[in-house]
Amino acid sequence: MTDTSFTPTTQPGDWASDQEVRWCPGCGDYSILTALRMLMPSLGTEPRNTVFVSGIGCAARFPYYMNTYGVHGIHGRAPAIATGLAMARPDLDVWVIGGDGDMLSIGGNHLIHALRRNVKIKLLLFNNQIYGLTKGQFSPTSEIGKVTKSSPMGSLDAPFNPLAVALGAEASFVARTHDMDRQHMMDTFQRAHAHDGAAFVEVFQNCNVFNDGAFEGVTKKQNRDANLIPLRDGEPIRFGADGEFGVIDEAGCARVVHTADVGDDELLVHDESKHDPSTAFMLARLARGPFEPTPIGVFRAVRRSEYAMATTRQLAAAQQKQGAADIGQMLRSRGTWFV
Amino acid sequence: MTDTASRELPLQEIDEVIIRFAGDSGDGMQLTGDQFTSISAALGNDLSTLPEFPAEIRAPQGTLAGVSAFQVRISDFDITTPGDAPTVLVAMNPAALKAQLHNLAQGGALIVNTDAFNERNLEKAGYATNPLDDGTLDDYRTYPVPMSQITRDAVAQHGVKPRDAERSKNFFALGLISWMYTRPVEPTLEFINTKFRGRTQVIDANTSAFKAGYNFGETAEIFEAHYEVKPAPLAPGEYTNVNGNTALAWGCIVAGQLARLPVFLGSYPITPASDILHEMSLKKNFGVRTFQAEDEIAAAASAVGAAFGGALAFTSTSGPGLALKGETLSLAVSLELPLVVLDIQRGGPSTGLPTKPEQADLMMAMYGRHSESPLPVVAPRSPADCFDVAIEACRIALKYRTPVIVLSDGYLANSSEPWLLPDVNSLPDIGVEFATGFNGTNEDGDGIFLPYLRDPETLARPWAIPGTPDLMHRVGGIEKEDGTGNISYEPENHQLMVNLRQAKVDGVDVPDVEVAGDVDADLAVLGWGSTWGAIDAAAGRLREAGFEVAHVHLRHLHPLPANLGDVLRRYRAVVCPEMNKGQLCDIVRAKYLIDVSHIGKIDGVPFTTGEVTDAVRKRLEELSTV
């Protein structure tokens, strides 16, 4: 996966800004920040060519902590800001950081449109299933019945499944990772960065103040074997300490089975580059929540025309066809007369 | 142009004519009006147009709601408005007649398509009896013409299906009017060939219909004369006919060239601003990147992103969209990035009157953002002026690193006038330098970049774009520390930053306002935006009537010209016609404590010269009795 001939020109420390990190002690955001800072030197890019864009929320403070260019925007609009930036500057690496409220509630519209356009931005959704910065209301990924300050009798809202939303929006790259596994985060972010198009990564992120342990059922060390299903391209989908569990396709639905019951040949072989998103969708919906076997890794990675470069190609084609910019010609294009 | 013996009709010279073409929205009235305008422009007339169309694409045929009209005024003298009342009305059906007759000047000429006055159409238009023969039209010179029938006969030779044959009747009308006002036929024949290239039957049908209309005027013995409007004494040079939206789009594109920056437009389609998106989308060879966003907010947000990346960024919209962009604009105020917002005002509130003009977004442009969020506001006064104002808005945005709002409106957007093409080489250089190196030092004496260290003169902050070595920095909507741009919640710092942002906008280099007309008059008419033409013409009329009137017209609404208070205080009375409930009046009253009186009109139709004249005259007469 890592290009061994590549010699990094930067160290993780070069990617850290001089600003004090102000997340709550114990927040999952710290480990994501560390993973990204550690990953950056290996990406073959420079801080000056990198931009982190965010909206509002705890996660959205992320740009301040990276020694890159950064825009801390307004609530929900980061994918739109990043789209304009990526269109104007296809030469840059543009990352978008946001939480579940930012990207799936107030900014849901911008997220799905950025994904369908396939503009080259890397969207990392820090999903903690709660509103943190506003001090603990239910979010669009909170489970039904969640008791919070704004839902004292339990939330009535059915949650979004972020990966299913992204797949429904025709995302060309969809992945999931979690804040308890730095290497898995780094591998996943690296894949997102390498993808030529919009890349969407859901990161299970623990909010230890308002929603502590929301993902423990799958991310805690002792639960991982039983409840995390690592997706590996080209391999049968199996998990468990000894690979005793697997996933099969049962009439269009993913189902967890004992491998011994069905035989190895029946297991679903993961194909992330399969153009039809049905299998990825089925896998995205395998778990009802982070308390039962849940796939992580790259669900989908397909090639599709990248938006900013397609825009650039249209500019070139227009120059070819209409000629170079000529103000005089434009001003005369509707016909003129002399007095 | 005909072989048949033509009658010798007298040719009368007239100084102007105001023609209104009216028909169903599918009748091609806009096309007809546009083409008549083009030929008249080429003849050297001064001209001004007023298109008027329903918000629906195709309202039910034959109904009042579906009437589309195009007014064009041509003259042999300098004009600034499309005229108050048409002197010629072409009515293609009963609904057009019913909707438009009240506009026609007393004794005006009325050319009606009699074929359309059947029972069904009369009923749809709400006529109990046929106005053609019940005396309704007694006050007008009526010319009944069976346009549909003659058109059908004329195009029959081309094998056009009977159902389609009548579609050429707008060209019949154009031919007839071309004859009446002695316009040359060749430009229209060329236009038909170009417009419908590749559709031979359509070209043949429209050509035949146009010629039939022209010949009808010459041979049918119902017209007493035909007319000639000589060229106007316009300044010598090369002209084009341009409407406000096109001029605005071109201004934005040219500004990019003048600033040597790539142009980015983020926009969401909205009437009456969409044509700006269309026009700029056609100019990709200028390196213009247009982005049709998922909504108004994304349109503005994408422009903020592009501006951060170093583009000259625009977002175009109308009132409802400006409301949605409010929070994003306050972000741009806080980030202190250049951004130009084009607001083509329309009637409101809410959806209001999408195709009709209003000037009621002024307060929203000034104050329609949360907290203290000042930004410059400019407004064009005529269609061609949109070009210069677009460049001026960009100049301010770039020099001061600030969002700027341009307030045009639905009238300027679609109305057109002859425009003396500017000398491209004389246009201003509005380029600015990106930051390329450190501008400060830390305690250890090392170079650092301070993204909010301001230019002492303009108070603009440095614009360092991604890709620049060493200048990595973060900007955000949270209050920033002066200089470093780091997050700061310090009370004194916030007060300082609020003051600095205001001082920066207050310090924009706005030229002094100049007084037009009678500088020493007792009364000044204050205006802004598209009312310029009507005020200018009204002042002219009042002058002819022996009054003295000064005209003060604002291009810069925020900040206001530094001399405005002193100028206005010279007058015993100041009146301000606006298509709103008195928004500029309120601003001027609040700022200068000057008792400006409001002349309002919010009916979706621009001020006529007559309306302004009457209102100002009333005030003048009050003054003379005091």
Side-chain angles (χ1 to χ4, degrees), chain A residues 14 17-19 22 47-51 56 61 63-75 77 79-85 87-92 106 109-111 113-114 116-117 307-308 311-312 314-316 318-320 322-339, chain B residues 41-42 44-45 232 234-241 243 246 250 253-254 257 264 279 282-295 297-298 301-306 308-311 327-328 331 335 387 418-419 421-422 424 464-478 486-487 489:
Chain A
D14 296 329
S17 76
D18 60 1
Q19 295 299 295
R22 294 193 194 171
R48 68 178 150 104
N49 294 322
T50 305
V51 186
I56 295 296
R61 297 297 176 94
Y64 289 114
Y65 308 138
M66 296 295 288
N67 183 33
T68 62
Y69 286 88
V71 179
H72 180 216
I74 42 177
H75 208 7
R77 318 303 169 198
I81 295 170
T83 295
L85 175 60
M87 283 182 72
R89 296 288 304 277
D91 58 310
L92 302 172
I106 192 167
N109 195 33
H110 308 306
L111 174 71
H113 289 279
R116 81 172 161 92
R117 288 190 191 101
Y307 191 76
T311 307
T312 304
Q314 281 198 342
L315 300 193
Q319 282 223 344
Q320 198 101 69
Q322 296 162 257
D326 181 336
I327 298 175
Q329 196 179 48
M330 176 172 72
L331 302 188
R332 288 173 179 81
S333 60
R334 301 267 166 115
T336 65
W337 70 93
F338 284 90
V339 171
Chain B
N45 296 129
L234 299 171
E238 190 178 9
Y239 283 80
T240 192
N241 186 43
N243 69 32
T246 306
W250 288 355
I253 294 164
V254 169
Q257 300 283 310
F264 178 92
E279 184 64 25
L282 281 171
K283 297 294 184 284
K284 291 186 167 55
N285 60 323
F286 280 77
V288 174
R289 287 171 198 268
T290 54
F291 174 57
Q292 183 175 311
E294 57 271 24
D295 60 28
I297 300 172
S302 65
V304 169
F308 184 73
E327 188 196 10
T328 314
L331 174 68
L335 299 186
F387 180 83
W419 177 36
L421 292 184
V424 173
I465 63 168
T468 313
D470 302 327
L471 302 193
M472 289 80 73
H473 66 283
R474 279 64 55 195
V475 293
I478 301 184
N486 291 332
I487 291 176
Y489 299 109

Side-chain angles (χ1 to χ4, degrees), chain B residues 52 69 71 80 101 157 216 230 251 305 329 345 351 405 431 466 488 507 584 597 610 619:
Chain B
E52 204 181 274
Q71 182 165 317
T80 55
L101 187 61
Q157 50 176 318
F216 182 85
K230 286 263 168 63
L329 295 186
Q345 300 165 97
T351 305
I405 294 178
S488 167
L584 180 63
S597 44
R619 189 78 184 96

Side-chain angles (χ1 to χ4, degrees), chain A residues 247-261:
Chain A
V247 175
I248 61 162
D249 174 354
E250 188 181 66
C253 284
R255 193 160 77 81
V256 172
V257 293
H258 283 279
T259 318
D261 293 348

Side-chain angles (χ1 to χ4, degrees), chain B residues 12-19 45-47 71-85 87-88 181 183 227-230 541:
Chain B
Q12 289 180 14
E13 200 178 304
I14 51 176
D15 60 354
E16 68 165 327
V17 62
I18 304 165
I19 305 170
N45 296 129
D46 198 1
L47 57 88
Q71 182 165 317
V72 52
R73 178 188 189 192
I74 59 173
S75 68
D76 68 2
F77 59 97
D78 187 27
I79 54 173
T80 55
T81 76
D84 291 4
T87 49
V88 179
Y181 295 95
R183 311 280 103 175
Y227 307 92
E228 187 177 18
V229 181
K230 286 263 168 63
R541 274 194 204 171

Side-chain angles (χ1 to χ4, degrees), chain B residues 289-553:
Chain B
R289 287 171 198 268
T290 54
F291 174 57
Q292 183 175 311
E294 57 271 24
D295 60 28
E296 293 281 359
I297 300 172
S302 65
V304 169
F308 184 73
L312 177 55
F314 299 89
T315 184
S316 55
T317 190
S318 187
L322 185 62
L324 285 165
K325 293 180 199 295
E327 188 196 10
T328 314
L329 295 186
S330 80
L331 174 68
V333 167
S334 182
L335 299 186
E336 304 194 38
L337 284 170
L339 173 67
V340 174
V341 185
L342 310 168
D343 174 21
I344 317 303
Q345 300 165 97
R346 67 187 216 186
S350 189
T351 305
L353 305 169
T355 60
K356 312 286 186 192
E358 216 167 78
Q359 293 182 298
D361 291 353
L362 176 58
M363 286 296 190
M364 174 163 66
M366 294 283 288
Y367 304 115
R369 291 163 299 283
H370 59 283
S371 184
E372 296 293 342
S373 187
L375 52 75
V377 180
V378 290
R381 66 182 194 178
S382 75
D385 193 42
C386 287
F387 180 83
D388 293 328
V389 166
I391 294 172
E392 171 66 356
C394 294
R395 182 192 72 83
I396 295 172
L398 290 167
K399 181 173 177 181
Y400 297 93
R401 321 273 201 267
T402 176
V404 176
I405 294 178
V406 177
L407 289 178
S408 178
D409 62 45
Y411 167 40
L412 294 181
N414 294 308
S415 170
S416 65
E417 65 175 349
W419 177 36
L420 176 60
L421 292 184
D423 172 9
V424 173
N425 297 319
S426 72
L427 295 173
D429 182 339
I430 58 172
V432 294
E433 302 289 327
F434 292 128
T436 53
F438 296 133
N439 58 354
T441 48
N442 63 13
E443 295 126 10
D444 302 331
D446 299 327
I448 53 166
F449 178 57
L450 299 166
Y452 278 79
L453 183 70
R454 292 164 194 282
D455 178 295
E457 193 193 325
T458 62
L459 299 182
R461 73 176 192 87
W463 190 10
I465 63 168
T468 313
D470 302 327
L471 302 193
M472 289 80 73
H473 66 283
R474 279 64 55 195
V475 293
I478 301 184
E479 188 58 284
K480 289 152 290 283
E481 186 181 62
D482 182 34
T484 66
N486 291 332
I487 291 176
S488 167
Y489 299 109
E490 291 303 316
E492 300 82 11
N493 180 73
H494 179 56
Q495 179 77 59
L496 176 68
M497 292 299 273
V498 168
N499 293 349
L500 280 170
R501 285 187 287 260
Q502 184 69 52
K504 183 177 82 165
V505 172
D506 288 345
V508 169
D509 54 349
V510 168
D512 276 352
V513 74
E514 285 174 24
V515 180
D518 308 305
V519 179
D520 299 322
D522 281 341
L523 177 144
V525 184
L526 174 67
W528 68 280
S530 70
T531 52
W532 175 77
I535 296 174
D536 183 69
R541 274 194 204 171
L542 289 163
R543 228 161 274 137
E544 279 170 24
F547 293 100
E548 289 196 335
V549 178
H551 180 187
V552 178
H553 213 80

